[in-house]
Amino acid sequence: MTTRPPTPSRRVLLRAMAALPASAVLLGGLPELTGTAAAAAPASGSATRYTIVPFLNSNDGTVNVYQSDDATDFRLVQASAYTPPSNRIRDASVFKHTNGYYYITYTTHTWQDVSTTIGFARSSDRVNWTFLYDYTVPITNLSRAWAPEWYVDSDGSVNVIVSCSTTDDEWIFTPYLLKATNSGLTSWGSPLALSGIGSNHIDTFIVKVGSTYHAFTKNETTKYIEYATASSLAGPYTISRTGDWAGWGSYREGPALVQLDNGGWRIFFDGYGDGNYYYSDSYDTFATWSAPQALAGISGTARHFTVIKETVSGGVSLAKNVSRSLRSANYTTRYWQEQSALLNLPVVASSSTTAEKQASAFTVVPGLADANGYSFRDSSGNYLRHYAFRGRFDANDGTATFARDATFIARTGTTSGAVRFESYNYPGYYLRHYNYQLRVEPANATDLFRQDSSFVPVTSWA
């Protein structure tokens, strides 16, 4: 992708527009897992599914639907899945309600225009959407209502956090809380400004961990995503992290968080200044973050989205405590084989030696770090783990680090019966073959990578 120079924020653009006549118009290290976050790998036969419904960089009149099983490799489910009957659709936020329907709320006008409404639509299958209504946010002298974000509180209440400005300074936004007053999501309480975050903040996204509410919000002056906490959804919030506190850089907006299968948290944000969409992970309740990485496949296409995570049926069913051999899905004569403690992918056949066949057989066991995951043990009792991103076999030293290095989450592969094995402590990294060596490498949203990281468990060679 060609990198674009930084571009001004929406607020700067809007100020410039107001002054015009009407006719003018790098990959860093990942933190080790720490703390007590519970693992949540999908059970046998189940799968994790992340869904996003972004508007497009090239078109703010429609949204696409994408899904992923790892929150890294998003694939198109439906192009132009929803186009509102009038106006635009930007900043779409999605959640699944207790009635089984998926709902989106969104900004109804393009950034140049006055926008006093937010839109609502729903779907039973994430593909076919029905327009519900445009809701006028009841704030006196409202100029713009932007970036509505769903928030379902621990008491089950459904809320929308929306950024609003008034006509006395139409480019200064304040986050407001709207609480649904009926289960049909057609009636809303009076808007309540989130105490403590204050004006000049936009795109506020909230998650709750334990009894604490954690807010991520863009400061429209500095262009950094800031961090605040509160003991109540409405606040008062205390902003404790400002500037480039997380190493994400400036000209960032649209933060959205989701919890990963290994218990960590992933933030997604729109790098509108350089044309990329980024993600970054935290394992210590948001104190530190991995270096941001561009989201392969949809950077430059998708804009401002939120993510929902579900557990669905149809996932991998791989028997445990049995011996299996693993065949490459795209090099069907080649199998996993231990060679001098390293995992390689040579040809194995009926004519292979007994030693070669034994080195190509592994006992599949419950994951050392998560019993829903998978670990692989050789005939001498050593375990497959990644070390310097190379697949190798070592004795279990009993440490948490070893257990995580030796645990993999099973994802559906590219061919019938094939499985992809995602690193437990490096989410989005998969065992894949390269030059017939097995390595743990980051998914890059290409078909070749998906094929190289797909393996078929078959009857053991020994």
Side-chain angles (χ1 to χ4, degrees), residues 207-274:
V207 297
K208 187 179 183 183
V209 180
S211 60
T212 301
Y213 294 86
H214 303 259
F216 296 78
T217 184
K218 180 195 176 190
N219 183 309
E220 269 285 40
T221 296
T222 66
K223 317 301 184 239
Y224 289 113
I225 296 172
E226 298 182 341
Y227 169 73
T229 55
S231 59
S232 170
L233 176 59
Y237 285 86
T238 299
I239 297 177
S240 59
R241 298 289 187 271
T242 60
D244 196 17
W245 65 278
W248 299 327
S250 60
Y251 292 91
R252 306 294 189 242
E253 64 185 16
L257 284 83
V258 69
Q259 194 166 28
L260 301 173
D261 280 348
N262 65 7
W265 286 90
R266 174 162 292 181
I267 188 171
F268 298 90
F269 51 85
D270 191 341
Y272 66 96
D274 57 29

Side-chain angles (χ1 to χ4, degrees), residues 78-100:
Q78 182 65 48
S80 299
Y82 172 67
T83 300
S86 61
N87 302 318
R88 319 307 292 169
I89 177 168
R90 300 172 65 90
D91 316 326
S93 178
V94 60
F95 93 112
K96 188 176 184 180
H97 198 14
T98 54
N99 61 10

